[in-house]
């Protein structure tokens, strides 16, 4: 038996073959990083751009399809949106701007609703909704 055959075992051959495909992991990680970057951008700056342009563009095919799928496939939804039928929802930017997601200063505990008052409020609303049948 030749000397080099003693050094090359089937395990070494498999390891060498596996090492020739290590670039696949690098490509997958790069694709994941690009996807993550796209998602972060889309949820921050991209969303702000879309919100600014929301009321200026006509309804897209996808928006018409999600609002009325069958009419869109038949072709009648595009005529309905242009003739004053189903229109794109309008976002009132003045109202949207007044929504505060985070309080500007800490809320003092004494100004919060007490749990007993809150439970009474919920019980009163449930009773009135049950009386009118609107809760079912």
């Amino acid at each position: 038996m030749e000397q080099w055959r003693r050094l090359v075992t089937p395990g070494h051959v498999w390891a060498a073959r596996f090492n020739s495909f290590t670039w696949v992991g690098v490509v997958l990680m790069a694709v994941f990083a690009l996807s993550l970057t796209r998602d972060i951008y889309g949820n921050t700056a991209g969303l702000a751009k879309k919100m600014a342009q929301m009321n200026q563009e006509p309804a897209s095919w996808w928006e018409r399809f999600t609002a009325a799928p069958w009419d869109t496939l038949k072709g009648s939804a595009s005529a309905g949106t242009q003739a004053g039928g189903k229109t794109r929802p309008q976002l009132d930017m003045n109202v949207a701007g007044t929504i505060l997601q985070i309080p500007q200063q800490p809320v003092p505990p004494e100004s919060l609703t007490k749990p007993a008052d809150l439970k009474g409020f919920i019980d009163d609303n449930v009773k009135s909704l049950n009386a009118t049948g609107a809760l079912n």
Side-chain angles (χ1 to χ4, degrees), residues 4 14 22 26 28 35 37 41 44-45 50 58 68 76-77 86 88 124 126:
W4 67 272
W14 279 104
T22 54
V26 174
L28 289 175
S35 173
T37 303
Y41 174 78
T44 54
K50 289 289 183 187
S76 61
K86 295 176 185 157
R88 170 184 246 179
D124 291 341
V126 169

Side-chain angles (χ1 to χ4, degrees), residues 96-126:
T98 60
I99 299 172
L100 297 175
Q101 297 181 3
I102 300 173
Q104 300 298 324
Q105 54 194 353
V107 179
E110 57 273 358
S111 68
L112 297 175
T113 304
K114 306 290 184 264
D117 296 338
L118 188 59
K119 184 176 182 328
F121 173 76
I122 292 172
D123 290 340
D124 291 341
N125 282 322
V126 169

